[in-house]
Amino acid sequence: DVCSSDLHGAIRPRKYSARRLDPARVLHRSRSEIQRVMWQWHTTSKSRPQQSCNLLFPLAYQPEESTSPRAGEFVDQELAVDAIRTALPPTWTLRVREHPHQFQRHRPRASGYYKHFYRRSGVELVPLTESPLESLRSADAVAAVGGSLSIAAWKAAKPLLLLGHTLLKVAPGVRHVSEAEMIQPRLQELLAAPQTEFTQASRVLFEIGRAH
């Protein structure tokens, strides 16, 4: 089973500084950039293996409280992507999903931002036409700093690695990390856990709702 492959690689502590977002960048240039990067994925040999499992990482909208201050060092989401990709088995693909509000609120990311993901082996960018529900349904596990998709993943009994400081970090079945070097052991623990743990955890919300 490729989804139960051993994790590999130790996380070396790395210091990242938060990059300034440039609100002056023209919105359509950011959309064009993400489309160019996706075209590069589809025209090179970096496509996902047919038997690959995938972990979904939805980028948080920035600037916002969900990443600054709640995400701590993961305010630099490239750090999170690098650390998670290093910790994942080679048979897994890390899918990075852009937040739609990053375009809708005219806050495009810095030039070259998406190329960082393209350069990493085993990382792909989710198509802009793919809905959040489609991304979640196809995911074998989810990692996030917070947001609605992390809640949806927990409700759907998906293995969830939470990098941000939200109330969900104490929910049953969730693995929480606050530093990059914690990702490898927590992810290993998460992927080795039986599916029944997440199914039972998701029933907590159902029972709470029924009680009220």
Side-chain angles (χ1 to χ4, degrees):
D1 184 357
V2 294
C3 293
S4 60
S5 298
D6 291 337
L7 295 173
H8 69 100
I11 299 298
R12 292 192 181 121
R14 299 169 66 183
K15 296 299 180 183
Y16 286 72
S17 60
R19 291 175 173 79
R20 282 185 177 275
L21 298 176
D22 184 0
R25 272 185 55 80
V26 181
L27 184 65
H28 77 84
R29 290 184 61 188
S30 184
R31 293 186 67 93
S32 296
E33 181 182 347
I34 197 172
Q35 289 167 347
R36 284 197 302 272
V37 171
M38 287 178 57
W39 180 84
Q40 287 177 305
W41 260 309
H42 290 298
T43 55
T44 66
S45 60
K46 292 171 67 65
S47 58
R48 189 198 309 178
Q50 290 185 344
Q51 298 298 319
S52 177
C53 297
N54 82 82
L55 184 145
L56 176 67
F57 183 80
L59 293 170
Y61 170 76
Q62 290 179 302
E64 195 178 63
E65 183 187 12
S66 61
T67 54
S68 180
R70 290 188 181 275
E73 67 182 64
F74 297 119
V75 64
D76 185 340
Q77 295 181 88
E78 289 171 278
L79 166 63
V81 169
D82 285 347
I84 293 171
R85 178 57 269 177
T86 302
L88 277 173
T91 52
W92 280 67
T93 297
L94 176 58
R95 305 191 75 216
V96 179
R97 178 184 174 83
E98 180 57 287
H99 197 292
H101 287 178
Q102 207 68 49
F103 299 124
Q104 294 168 5
R105 297 183 185 180
H106 291 212
R107 291 280 186 176
R109 301 191 191 273
S111 178
Y113 187 85
Y114 305 109
K115 290 182 180 178
H116 176 83
F117 307 132
Y118 170 71
R119 294 189 183 106
R120 285 300 308 260
S121 176
V123 179
E124 69 176 35
L125 206 59
V126 173
L128 296 175
T129 54
E130 185 173 301
S131 71
L133 184 57
E134 288 175 318
S135 296
L136 186 59
R137 281 177 174 170
S138 67
D140 297 289
V142 177
V145 298
S148 58
L149 265 181
S150 63
I151 298 173
W154 183 70
K155 290 172 62 178
K158 297 283 185 179
L160 175 62
L161 182 72
L162 191 66
L163 284 62
H165 292 280
T166 71
L167 288 177
L168 193 60
K169 70 181 183 180
V170 298
V174 174
R175 302 302 193 277
H176 174 254
V177 299
S178 57
E179 299 176 347
E181 54 264 32
M182 297 172 60
I183 288 180
Q184 196 274 340
R186 289 288 188 276
L187 193 56
Q188 183 174 22
E189 179 184 316
L190 181 72
L191 299 184
Q195 180 61 34
T196 52
E197 176 182 340
F198 309 111
T199 304
Q200 291 167 357
S202 67
R203 288 190 59 83
V204 171
L205 190 63
F206 171 77
E207 296 295 342
I208 291 174
R210 190 172 66 171
H212 291 78

